[in-house]
């Protein structure tokens, strides 16, 4: 899934679970669970380092949306919002994809089992047409992002 989807779902989890350790653990599990849903990815095994601007755009979009959502939530509720737990949720929701980066680009070979497990969760093969990044392949990203956004803003 795109990083924006992971950022929003981790933030929603952090906003609604009290214990930061539970947030951290559940965020990693949630990442792997969400990767089970069919989705396209804008990077694949043939991607070059110069395509990583897409990651920067994705992160910027994700962080901009949660910043706006936290602001809106602050206006519409007077509960003490735990931004620390949101940060923990976002960090640990992104962490599994960071391990892929460490494995491939920083040659941390000990992460191979994690990379293998992570890849196996994707039922369509890396580089196949069903893994292309476009609207029709990424409807789950859109739906999960919207549900997460509602959970982040509305649930208390
Ligand atoms: Zn992933």
């Amino acid at each position: 899934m795109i990083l924006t989807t992971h950022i929003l779902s981790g933030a929603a989890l952090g906003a609604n679970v009290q214990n930061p350790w539970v947030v951290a653990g559940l965020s990693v599990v949630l990442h792997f669970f969400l990767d089970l849903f069919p989705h396209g990815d804008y990077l694949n095994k043939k991607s070059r380092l110069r395509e990583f601007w897409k990651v920067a755009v994705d992160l910027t979009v994700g962080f901009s949306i949660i910043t706006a959502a936290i602001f809106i939530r602050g206006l519409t509720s007077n509960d003490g919002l735990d931004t620390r737990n949101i940060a923990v949720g976002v960090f640990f929701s992104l962490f599994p994809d960071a391990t892929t980066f460490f494995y491939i680009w920083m040659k941390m070979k000990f992460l191979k089992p994690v990379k293998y497990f992570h890849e196996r969760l994707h039922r369509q093969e890396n580089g196949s047409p069903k893994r292309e990044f476009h609207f029709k392949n990424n409807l789950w990203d859109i739906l999960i992002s919207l549900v997460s956004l509602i959970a982040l803003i509305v649930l208390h």
Side-chain angles (χ1 to χ4, degrees):
M1 297 237 147
I2 63 169
L3 299 179
T4 292
T5 306
H6 289 305
I7 289 170
L8 290 174
S9 54
L13 198 83
N16 293 291
V17 176
Q18 293 274 314
N19 186 314
W21 298 99
V22 175
V23 173
L26 284 182
S27 293
V28 172
V29 173
L30 181 64
H31 180 113
F32 290 130
F33 176 71
L34 293 181
D35 275 350
L36 288 169
F37 289 80
H39 62 274
D41 285 308
Y42 53 74
L43 295 178
N44 61 35
K45 57 186 175 188
K46 292 185 203 122
S47 296
R48 299 263 165 257
L49 201 54
R50 64 181 143 80
E51 285 178 65
F52 273 66
W53 62 269
K54 296 171 187 172
V55 175
V57 171
D58 193 359
L59 288 172
T60 305
V61 169
F63 281 110
S64 301
I65 294 172
I66 48 166
T67 304
I70 290 169
F71 182 71
I72 293 166
R73 180 171 161 142
L75 294 179
T76 56
S77 76
N78 45 19
D79 64 325
L81 176 62
D82 199 341
T83 45
R84 180 201 59 187
N85 276 15
I86 290 177
V88 170
V90 170
F91 181 86
F92 284 95
S93 286
L94 290 175
F95 193 69
D97 283 342
T99 63
T100 300
F101 179 83
F102 296 148
Y103 172 71
I104 295 176
W105 300 99
M106 303 183 84
K107 313 263 185 266
M108 294 187 184
K109 294 299 174 202
F110 67 93
L111 290 169
K112 190 173 182 163
V114 181
K115 165 69 179 147
Y116 184 75
F117 169 73
H118 199 170
E119 190 62 51
R120 283 288 302 270
L121 295 174
H122 299 77
R123 276 166 293 175
Q124 275 85 28
E125 213 210 313
N126 192 326
S128 72
K130 289 204 161 155
R131 288 287 293 278
E132 280 169 21
F133 183 65
H134 58 68
F135 183 76
K136 200 172 142 266
N137 279 355
N138 288 82
L139 290 172
W140 278 112
D141 274 278
I142 295 166
L143 184 69
I144 293 163
S145 292
L146 287 175
V147 170
S148 300
L149 199 53
I150 291 166
L152 177 59
I153 297 173
V154 180
L155 291 182
H156 297 136

